[in-house]
Every structure is written in C-alpha cells, then in structure tokens.
Amino acid sequence: MSIQPDLSAAIGHTPLLRLRHASALTGCEILGKAEFLNPGGSIKDRTALGLLLDAERRGRIRPGGSIVEGTAGNTGIGLALLGASRGYRTVIFMPETQSREKIDALRIAGAEVRLVPAVPYKDPNHYAHQARAHAEAANAADPGSAWFANQFDNTANRDWHEATTGVEIWQGAGGRVDGFVCAAGTGGTLAGVGRALKARNPRVRIALADPAGSALASYVNTGELIASGNSISEGIGSSRVTANFDSAPIDLAWSIPDDESVPLLHRLLAEEGWCTGGSSGVNLAGAIRLARELGPGHTIVTVLADAGTRYQAKLFNPAFLRGKGIPVPDWLARAFPAP
C-alpha cells in the first residue's frame, strides 16, 4: 500500500470489475471501471481535478478564491471537496429537481448551494448560465476572485480523461479492449477515453449509450438533435453538442429506455453486490448492446459512474418505480413493502 499526501492524489486508479451477468449473457468480457470508488463517490472527481489543475496552471484561480460551477451534482461534490482540501470556497448552481442525496452531499462538503428551476439550456436562467453570471459579477467587483469551471465546454475536462481514465483502462485491460461505451453529460469521459483508446488501437469501437429524453444519440445517428421520451437518470444526456462532446470519436449510438437500464442495475446489486446509480445502468445496457454488435469473445469496457445510494429515493423506491412503469424486483418490493 502507498500513502497519499492529499485528496487529489487519491482520485483515480480505480479497478476494472468483471461484470458476471453481462459477460455470461453476451459471451464477452464486460468490464466496469469502478469510478464510484473515488473519494467523492463518482467519476466527476476526475473531471473536477482536471479542470482545477488546469485553472491553477493557467493562473485562473487565485489562492483563497471561489470555485463557481453549474452542475447536476457530482462535479460540484468533487469541486467542493477539492476546494476544501486546497483552500477555495465553492458556489454551486444546481437544478432543484436533482436528488436530495446529492444536494445534501454538496452542503456537507461545504459548498454554497443555490437551487434553481430546471429549464432548457437556451433559457438564460439555466443553471450553467446562472453560474457563469455569478462568477462574472464577482470578478467585476473583485477581479480574479472567482473561477467558473465550465465543465461542459472547458476541454480540460476531455483532456484529463484522455490522459488518465483512458490510459488506466488500456493498462488495466492489458491492451485488450475491443470496445468502450458510456453515456455523455458534458461528453468529457466519452471523448477523452475514446481518444485515448483510438490512439492506441484505431479499431476500438466507441459507443454512446444515451438515456431516453436526450438528443445526443439522434445527433450521432442522423446529424439532428431530436429527443423523445424521458428518463429518471440524472447528470447524463443533453439537448446540445458541448465542446467536449464535439470531439468524441463515436462509432455507434443508442437511446436506452429506463425499463432496460434500471433492471440491469437492480440485478447488478442483487447478484454481484455493486450498488450503482442510474447512469451506470444506462452504461451497462450500452455495453451489452455493443457486445452483441461485436459478437462473443470481445472485451467491452464501460463506466460505473457513481453509487446508487445517491438516488435511493428514486432507484430503490418501489412506489416511484411503479409510477414510472419500471419493473420492481421482488427483493426490493419485500425490502420496502407498501404501507
């Protein structure tokens, strides 16, 4: 074992887990990068670290300054924890529709949380625009006092995943990677990992698993941003092409409905003991689809992005699931019987 000097050094180097059911189902080796094991509980710790290190190198944040970001939660948690460890304040703008567990985690981490209505990106009241405006106002009053992380369009996000996450996956799998698949929110993970793997083997297939209600799969397949349906997944999907997503080398894309993805994460917990969030279910569904596309004998890697405990009131609430038309497994119904 090694001794890590601070929080930053503890981020990353997560294991690859063999996912037994998905592997047996497809005849492929399906591996999940266990990003829920990061200090802040998600892959967004990596994103936060990459953005912050880039800002520090470029002199865009001064000692004791404020980190400002608009986020569905996980990037904010990573930024807040890093801020606490490096002497920064953190101000987070977040849609009020996000899970109570993530909102509470942000506040526990010391962030100032400003909940705002969930509106489309084109609306000036969108959480990302409000975060940018807050940073600009702070800097107008006190130049250099605030840094807007801008995770969606700051390509330091993509670059950090290319330099770290993608390299770890290649090395962890011993260079035996035939396909990689994950969902996109900012697009940083998909673009960065895709670029890293393609640089090492151009034949690696890169796929997007898009939740219903997002327009990104449509964009990849048709060139048009058309969304249909909806999803209970948080933090993934988009109605626009971000600067990070724009550079992703995507070969295939699918729209994944909740009644396909959520049962997979329930089964992953009940049979293999991994408690993961909604995006991991979408990713796992995408990995199974990609495995079937490539055929038996291939190695497919995906991301287990965060822990299911951040979404307990939705993903593990039988009444909520029934209201959304999502199957409730017997073990979950027994654990939380109707009153």
Side-chain angles (χ1 to χ4, degrees):
M1 296 181 66
S2 60
I3 297 172
Q4 303 295 352
D6 58 17
L7 183 79
S8 301
I11 293 173
H13 305 289
T14 55
L16 282 173
L17 309 175
R18 183 176 188 272
L19 305 180
R20 296 196 307 263
H21 169 69
S23 297
L25 185 68
T26 60
C28 289
E29 284 291 291
I30 295 187
L31 310 176
K33 186 77 163 144
E35 291 299 297
F36 59 88
L37 295 178
N38 279 302
S42 85
I43 193 169
K44 293 298 187 174
D45 286 3
R46 291 184 188 263
T47 301
L49 179 59
L51 293 171
L52 184 54
L53 289 176
D54 181 74
E56 289 176 338
R57 281 195 299 267
R58 297 173 184 270
R60 291 177 177 170
I61 186 168
R62 71 187 188 197
S66 293
I67 299 168
V68 183
E69 182 61 311
T71 170
N74 280 333
T75 302
I77 293 166
L79 287 169
L81 294 174
L82 285 164
S85 74
R86 298 166 90 90
Y88 303 117
R89 293 180 58 250
T90 307
V91 182
I92 298 299
F93 287 78
M94 183 179 186
E96 60 190 4
T97 53
Q98 300 306 289
S99 73
R100 173 54 55 186
E101 294 90 343
K102 283 195 292 187
I103 295 169
D104 290 345
L106 274 165
R107 289 175 171 150
I108 290 168
E112 177 185 338
V113 181
R114 302 194 179 190
L115 298 176
V116 300
V119 296
Y121 184 79
K122 63 183 178 182
D123 190 310
N125 291 314
H126 185 272
Y127 62 92
H129 301 320
Q130 292 206 47
R132 182 190 294 274
H134 177 85
E136 289 174 347
N139 286 326
D142 182 8
S145 62
W147 166 64
F148 174 49
N150 193 19
Q151 61 173 320
F152 292 93
D153 294 305
N154 182 346
T155 54
N157 174 353
R158 172 204 67 201
D159 294 345
W160 189 249
H161 283 291
E162 183 173 359
T164 63
T165 321
V167 174
E168 287 178 31
I169 287 171
W170 182 260
Q171 293 176 344
R176 296 183 297 276
V177 180
D178 299 299
F180 174 78
V181 57
C182 75
T186 67
T189 302
L190 185 61
V193 173
R195 286 157 62 105
L197 295 178
K198 289 276 194 183
R200 288 158 175 81
N201 180 0
R203 295 186 300 277
V204 174
R205 302 284 274 172
I206 305 300
L208 167 68
D210 205 29
S214 172
L216 295 179
S218 167
Y219 177 77
V220 172
N221 291 324
T222 71
E224 298 184 58
L225 286 163
I226 300 173
S228 62
N230 54 69
S231 175
I232 65 172
S233 298
E234 296 183 17
I236 54 173
S238 183
S239 61
R240 71 183 184 98
V241 176
T242 67
N244 284 294
F245 184 85
D246 193 43
S247 61
I250 303 170
D251 300 302
L252 300 159
W254 302 283
S255 179
I256 308 288
D258 285 344
D259 60 4
E260 179 181 346
S261 64
V262 177
L264 288 171
L265 69 86
H266 286 157
R267 185 164 188 165
L268 186 65
L269 173 56
E271 297 183 3
E272 301 182 52
W274 303 115
C275 182
T276 60
S279 63
S280 298
V282 173
N283 290 347
L284 184 51
I288 291 170
R289 290 195 184 199
L290 182 56
R292 287 172 170 159
E293 178 81 19
L294 298 182
H298 293 88
T299 298
I300 312 298
V301 180
T302 191
V303 173
L304 303 179
D306 65 1
T309 49
R310 286 213 169 133
Y311 313 93
Q312 183 175 341
K314 293 181 179 180
L315 293 176
F316 304 103
N317 179 343
F320 178 86
L321 294 171
R322 292 188 187 103
K324 298 294 183 180
I326 299 171
V328 178
D330 290 342
W331 62 266
L332 185 59
R334 289 194 299 271
F336 297 98

mmCIF file of all heavy atoms in Angstrom, residues 77 93 136 144 223 260 265 272 293 311 338:
data_model
loop_
_atom_site.group_PDB
_atom_site.id
_atom_site.type_symbol
_atom_site.label_atom_id
_atom_site.label_comp_id
_atom_site.label_asym_id
_atom_site.label_seq_id
_atom_site.Cartn_x
_atom_site.Cartn_y
_atom_site.Cartn_z
ATOM 1 N N ILE A 77 -19.752 18.157 -6.178
ATOM 2 C CA ILE A 77 -19.233 17.474 -4.990
ATOM 3 C C ILE A 77 -17.716 17.352 -5.089
ATOM 4 O O ILE A 77 -16.986 17.638 -4.134
ATOM 5 C CB ILE A 77 -19.898 16.096 -4.827
ATOM 6 C CG1 ILE A 77 -21.389 16.263 -4.506
ATOM 7 C CG2 ILE A 77 -19.206 15.290 -3.725
ATOM 8 C CD1 ILE A 77 -22.209 14.995 -4.641
ATOM 9 N N PHE A 93 -24.433 26.104 -8.516
ATOM 10 C CA PHE A 93 -25.791 26.298 -9.020
ATOM 11 C C PHE A 93 -26.262 24.949 -9.552
ATOM 12 O O PHE A 93 -25.558 24.302 -10.340
ATOM 13 C CB PHE A 93 -25.810 27.349 -10.129
ATOM 14 C CG PHE A 93 -25.622 28.756 -9.615
ATOM 15 C CD1 PHE A 93 -24.353 29.207 -9.266
ATOM 16 C CD2 PHE A 93 -26.700 29.606 -9.459
ATOM 17 C CE1 PHE A 93 -24.165 30.489 -8.777
ATOM 18 C CE2 PHE A 93 -26.528 30.884 -8.975
ATOM 19 C CZ PHE A 93 -25.261 31.338 -8.632
ATOM 20 N N GLU A 136 -18.920 36.082 -13.189
ATOM 21 C CA GLU A 136 -18.607 37.341 -13.861
ATOM 22 C C GLU A 136 -18.893 38.534 -12.952
ATOM 23 O O GLU A 136 -18.111 39.499 -12.906
ATOM 24 C CB GLU A 136 -19.407 37.452 -15.151
ATOM 25 C CG GLU A 136 -18.928 36.484 -16.241
ATOM 26 C CD GLU A 136 -19.818 36.489 -17.474
ATOM 27 O OE1 GLU A 136 -20.941 37.058 -17.399
ATOM 28 O OE2 GLU A 136 -19.399 35.907 -18.499
ATOM 29 N N GLY A 144 -10.502 38.590 -10.425
ATOM 30 C CA GLY A 144 -9.753 37.390 -10.096
ATOM 31 C C GLY A 144 -10.247 36.643 -8.881
ATOM 32 O O GLY A 144 -9.629 35.667 -8.454
ATOM 33 N N GLY A 223 -27.466 13.363 -37.380
ATOM 34 C CA GLY A 223 -26.979 14.734 -37.514
ATOM 35 C C GLY A 223 -27.945 15.761 -36.979
ATOM 36 O O GLY A 223 -27.668 16.972 -37.049
ATOM 37 N N GLU A 260 -35.119 -0.757 -19.632
ATOM 38 C CA GLU A 260 -33.992 -1.622 -19.992
ATOM 39 C C GLU A 260 -32.827 -1.423 -19.026
ATOM 40 O O GLU A 260 -32.199 -2.395 -18.592
ATOM 41 C CB GLU A 260 -33.527 -1.318 -21.421
ATOM 42 C CG GLU A 260 -32.335 -2.148 -21.875
ATOM 43 C CD GLU A 260 -31.888 -1.812 -23.298
ATOM 44 O OE1 GLU A 260 -32.648 -1.145 -24.032
ATOM 45 O OE2 GLU A 260 -30.769 -2.220 -23.666
ATOM 46 N N LEU A 265 -29.271 -2.459 -13.324
ATOM 47 C CA LEU A 265 -28.551 -2.026 -12.124
ATOM 48 C C LEU A 265 -29.126 -2.691 -10.878
ATOM 49 O O LEU A 265 -28.393 -2.970 -9.914
ATOM 50 C CB LEU A 265 -28.509 -0.509 -12.014
ATOM 51 C CG LEU A 265 -29.762 0.298 -11.726
ATOM 52 C CD1 LEU A 265 -30.014 0.399 -10.231
ATOM 53 C CD2 LEU A 265 -29.612 1.707 -12.307
ATOM 54 N N GLU A 272 -24.419 -9.263 -7.775
ATOM 55 C CA GLU A 272 -22.972 -9.063 -7.762
ATOM 56 C C GLU A 272 -22.504 -8.095 -6.688
ATOM 57 O O GLU A 272 -21.295 -7.925 -6.478
ATOM 58 C CB GLU A 272 -22.504 -8.612 -9.152
ATOM 59 C CG GLU A 272 -22.858 -9.636 -10.235
ATOM 60 C CD GLU A 272 -22.365 -9.262 -11.612
ATOM 61 O OE1 GLU A 272 -21.160 -8.961 -11.763
ATOM 62 O OE2 GLU A 272 -23.188 -9.258 -12.554
ATOM 63 N N GLU A 293 -23.273 -6.422 -30.753
ATOM 64 C CA GLU A 293 -22.880 -5.888 -32.063
ATOM 65 C C GLU A 293 -21.559 -6.513 -32.518
ATOM 66 O O GLU A 293 -21.406 -6.881 -33.691
ATOM 67 C CB GLU A 293 -22.730 -4.366 -31.966
ATOM 68 C CG GLU A 293 -22.292 -3.683 -33.237
ATOM 69 C CD GLU A 293 -23.428 -3.437 -34.219
ATOM 70 O OE1 GLU A 293 -24.608 -3.459 -33.817
ATOM 71 O OE2 GLU A 293 -23.128 -3.228 -35.406
ATOM 72 N N TYR A 311 -29.240 8.040 -5.102
ATOM 73 C CA TYR A 311 -30.541 8.120 -5.777
ATOM 74 C C TYR A 311 -31.547 7.183 -5.112
ATOM 75 O O TYR A 311 -32.448 6.676 -5.762
ATOM 76 C CB TYR A 311 -30.378 7.745 -7.259
ATOM 77 C CG TYR A 311 -29.212 8.437 -7.918
ATOM 78 C CD1 TYR A 311 -27.961 7.823 -7.975
ATOM 79 C CD2 TYR A 311 -29.350 9.715 -8.454
ATOM 80 C CE1 TYR A 311 -26.871 8.467 -8.557
ATOM 81 C CE2 TYR A 311 -28.266 10.365 -9.037
ATOM 82 C CZ TYR A 311 -27.034 9.731 -9.081
ATOM 83 O OH TYR A 311 -25.964 10.372 -9.659
ATOM 84 N N ALA A 338 -45.362 -1.927 0.609
ATOM 85 C CA ALA A 338 -46.319 -0.809 0.568
ATOM 86 C C ALA A 338 -46.979 -0.673 1.943
ATOM 87 O O ALA A 338 -47.285 -1.673 2.591
ATOM 88 C CB ALA A 338 -47.361 -1.053 -0.513
#
